[in-house]
Amino acid sequence: METFATFMARVEPHVRRESFLDIMWAYKMSKDSLRGQERMEVDENGKHVRTFEHSRRVALIVLDELKSLDPVLIICALLHDLMEDSRDVTKEFIHHCFGWQIAEIVTVVSKVNVAKEAYVPRLAAFGDWRALMVK
């Protein structure tokens, strides 16, 4: 099982210190914001999976399957469901913490305030490949 320490140890040698700290902050923000929440998905023991595990798995897909060490992509993967699953995390809050680029990507992959039929066209029209990779 991937832990905070093992996750960060995988990233640290490959990114600038500032980016490393941003990834660390995104990991902690995601874990804290999703604390106590569970997904409908169940694990091999029949227990519901913590919502944070999904966000961490998406970040691990970015690292392991996409072979990407792009800090923006890693941060967006960690934060991608926060606007949907946490009432405290808004686009403005993400912008304040991580900048406009990450706030825009996270907003585009979020289903908050978007009609079901408008979601995919909005995602496709956004024009930043990282949004498609996170989704």
Side-chain angles (χ1 to χ4, degrees):
M1 169 109 157
E2 193 80 30
T3 66
F4 173 75
T6 59
F7 184 91
M8 297 312 297
R10 294 169 72 184
V11 173
E12 186 172 24
H14 307 288
V15 298
R16 293 186 344 258
R17 183 70 180 160
E18 179 181 291
S19 296
F20 175 75
L21 295 173
D22 286 343
I23 293 167
M24 180 186 297
W25 173 226
Y27 187 105
K28 289 180 176 284
M29 178 190 292
S30 181
K31 188 168 185 177
D32 185 60
S33 296
L34 300 172
R35 189 174 311 283
Q37 295 186 37
E38 296 178 336
R39 293 175 59 85
M40 297 298 289
E41 172 188 357
V42 293
D43 65 15
E44 61 278 353
N45 299 319
K47 293 179 68 179
H48 286 277
V49 174
R50 293 182 314 154
T51 301
F52 172 70
E53 296 304 326
H54 168 69
S55 296
R56 180 170 40 202
R57 277 197 311 255
V58 173
L60 290 171
I61 289 169
V62 166
L63 293 170
D64 296 337
E65 294 179 29
L66 299 179
K67 306 287 187 215
S68 176
L69 290 163
D70 176 1
V72 170
L73 188 54
I74 297 167
I75 292 167
C76 289
L78 288 165
L79 302 179
H80 80 277
D81 276 342
L82 289 191
M83 289 175 56
E84 294 173 36
D85 296 332
S86 172
R87 62 191 156 121
D88 298 328
V89 178
T90 62
K91 179 180 181 177
E92 292 77 18
F93 185 72
I94 294 170
H95 177 265
H96 177 77
C97 295
F98 300 101
W100 68 269
Q101 185 178 41
I102 289 172
E104 288 295 322
I105 294 170
V106 172
T107 300
V108 165
V109 299
S110 173
K111 294 177 184 158
V112 172
N113 298 326
V114 178
K116 196 177 218 179
E117 62 278 356
Y119 179 71
V120 172
R122 179 181 80 168
L123 186 62
F126 181 61
D128 189 324
W129 62 271
R130 290 174 292 208
L132 295 171
M133 294 299 104
V134 169
K135 202 56 189 168

